[in-house]
Amino acid sequence: MAQCVTKVELSISCENLIDKDVGSKSDPLCVLLQNVGGDQWAELDRTEKIKNCQKPEFSKKLLIDYYFEKVQKLKFGVYDIDNKSFDLNDDDYLGGVECTLGQIVSSKTLTRPLELKKGKPAGKGTITISAEEIKDTRVVSLEIEAQNLDKKDFLGKSDPFLEFYKQSDGGKWQLVYRSEVIKNNLNPCWRKFSVPLQTFCGGDFNNPIKVEFECIHPGKKQKKKSYKNSGIVRIKSCKIETDYSFLDYVMGGCQINFTVGIDFTGSNGDPKSPDSLHYISPNGINEYLTAIWSVGNVVQDYDTDKLFPAFGFGAQVPPNWQVSHEFALNFNPNNPYCQGIQGIVDAYRLALPQVRLYGPTNFSPILNHVARFAAQSAQQGTAAQYYVLLIITDGEITDLDQTRQAIVNASKLPMSVIIVGVGDADFKAMEFLDGDNGVLKSLTGEPAARDIVQFVPFRQFLSAPREALSQTVLAEVPKQLVSYYKMHGWAPVKLPGAKQE
């Protein structure tokens, strides 16, 4: 299952609450509920009650676990509390609002009108929700070398390494970092390494640290009175740095741009035939549409304009019936953007009867298309735009070598690639591109700078809950986004804690 990315603290304030108390103002409290499926809501937390106030600023923060890969539907309800009971059913409802946690963190501060029920405003009442991530972002970065070490091995030189321990509350020493082993070297210089300050010393600079490294040679000490040591360990640099998180970048203004590429090759089968992967069932779905909805529903919260470019590949397209490997789904190459996820779905349904499924299955044109936009963003030198490309395919890839090269090139850019394999094909090539079994290399042997491809076969999710697909394919994106900006040393556009304009 998904790992919790982080904990988020929500601050709540309201304005212009309606008055329910005769002779005095309302005594408001805000409750936070999370959707647990269908119409079921579970209470997560609530604020304190504030007496006689139409413009409350609640001091108690509401805590929630944040997952990028889930659509977390929330409901905020404001009540006028006139009794001591915990149950809110006997208290007056002053209005509420529904939204997703993704909408809150991507806005950082969200103000919405309160509603008594859908479409019925609660007077002029508004609620403002601000999000802050709870974490210690500091890391300790160390560079260490040693000189003139003793030979410990009978025939060769020593194979030195370092171990760092912190002391737990009970006084026990706990390993926090082990360096790499440097073979046959009496003057080793270890790679620079970074450990979260919380892991290294519990975030407390005064906590003792133990470093294990056999510098003293007991045998030599006994034999030689003039013996000093078996070498010197030197700390070349020690810095406390800030390690920015995924939410630091998102709340700092980073937009996630979502693009879809759809496989229209002949191996999918005739869309009019019920055994085709492009056949739309009487209830209006197929595997392509399910994948678009599942992934798009999560990603759309992180893109303010909600305009998503959508392309097809491997079909003959009108009017000349030339085979195209990157045609706009709306047939407008100058403006391939669709309005929202529904816009992509509508464009796909309209395009399906207008194209002829053909071949071959070439991924590299669409990869390179998105990479051109990512390269333009990278030239700005800021953490402002990140690109996620979703390719949905039946898996019979033709241009594997060009695709390998395109992915290696893209690994140096602010982008991630998600491949969803539909149907029952052999997806060996897709698994190879995923790089989970080792670093993906181009034909010339150039390795990918970072792992940016996530592949999943749709058939694994046929009987799973609808959210399972998006949770699996998107779980890696936060790590991939952070790894790109960290590689370049780019801080968020707006730094955490900076005043908002």
Side-chain angles (χ1 to χ4, degrees), residues 320-389:
N320 305 324
W321 304 106
Q322 295 287 314
V323 174
S324 172
H325 296 295
E326 49 169 318
F327 64 90
L329 272 194
N330 61 8
F331 299 111
N332 183 349
N334 299 321
N335 185 10
Y337 297 93
C338 301
Q339 181 65 59
I341 304 305
Q342 186 63 52
I344 300 175
V345 169
D346 295 343
Y348 166 74
R349 285 166 180 262
L350 288 170
L352 204 49
Q354 296 186 62
V355 300
R356 292 179 192 152
L357 272 56
Y358 206 71
T361 309
N362 291 351
F363 280 13
S364 57
I366 281 183
L367 280 163
N368 292 330
H369 179 103
V370 175
R372 283 194 291 277
F373 286 92
Q376 285 169 3
S377 293
Q379 282 170 357
Q380 308 299 314
T382 61
Q385 306 282 341
Y386 194 84
Y387 293 79
V388 172
L389 168 61

Side-chain angles (χ1 to χ4, degrees), residues 412-480:
K412 305 181 202 117
L413 297 169
M415 71 181 272
S416 292
V417 181
I418 292 162
I419 303 171
V420 174
V422 295
D424 294 319
D426 176 3
F427 290 116
K428 286 259 188 317
M430 302 298 123
E431 285 158 5
F432 170 69
L433 294 174
D434 190 315
D436 279 351
N437 300 324
V439 178
L440 178 74
K441 290 183 177 163
S442 70
L443 203 59
T444 58
E446 183 188 359
R450 53 199 186 92
D451 181 11
I452 63 164
V453 178
Q454 183 73 4
F455 164 73
V456 296
F458 189 90
R459 58 178 174 241
Q460 285 181 5
F461 298 90
L462 287 174
S463 55
R466 222 176 59 184
E467 311 78 47
L469 176 70
S470 61
Q471 287 175 26
T472 304
V473 296
L474 291 171
E476 300 294 317
V477 170
K479 206 163 54 181
Q480 291 170 356

Side-chain angles (χ1 to χ4, degrees), residues 234-282:
R234 193 167 77 87
I235 293 175
K236 287 168 72 180
S237 84
C238 176
K239 287 183 194 152
I240 304 298
E241 297 171 338
T242 300
D243 203 11
Y244 296 112
S245 70
F246 175 69
L247 277 186
D248 284 333
Y249 287 107
V250 167
M251 291 178 175
C254 183
Q255 293 284 302
I256 297 179
N257 301 277
F258 180 51
T259 304
V260 177
I262 296 175
D263 184 335
F264 284 94
T265 55
S267 49
N268 281 280
D270 180 356
K272 297 187 199 70
S273 164
D275 55 6
S276 166
L277 293 166
H278 278 300
Y279 176 73
I280 297 176
S281 68

Side-chain angles (χ1 to χ4, degrees), residues 158-162 178-184 190-191:
S158 296
D159 302 336
F161 64 93
L162 294 166
R178 180 184 285 123
S179 76
E180 76 278 20
V181 175
I182 297 181
K183 292 272 185 190
N184 293 326
W190 288 277
R191 269 198 305 265

Side-chain angles (χ1 to χ4, degrees), residues 167-231:
Q167 203 165 19
S168 65
D169 293 341
K172 196 166 173 267
W173 291 101
Q174 185 184 2
L175 180 68
V176 292
Y177 180 78
R178 180 184 285 123
S179 76
E180 76 278 20
V181 175
I182 297 181
K183 292 272 185 190
N184 293 326
N185 196 327
L186 300 181
N187 297 289
C189 185
W190 288 277
R191 269 198 305 265
K192 180 182 174 182
F193 66 91
S194 299
V195 181
L197 203 61
Q198 192 62 39
T199 307
F200 197 72
C201 60
D204 184 347
F205 292 120
N206 297 319
N207 274 353
I209 296 289
K210 182 167 78 167
V211 185
E212 293 232 326
F213 180 82
E214 289 184 28
C215 276
I216 303 294
H217 195 296
K220 282 196 176 179
K221 197 174 182 183
Q222 284 171 351
K223 286 178 192 167
K224 281 185 169 179
K225 284 189 179 164
S226 60
Y227 175 81
K228 283 186 181 169
N229 60 42
S230 294

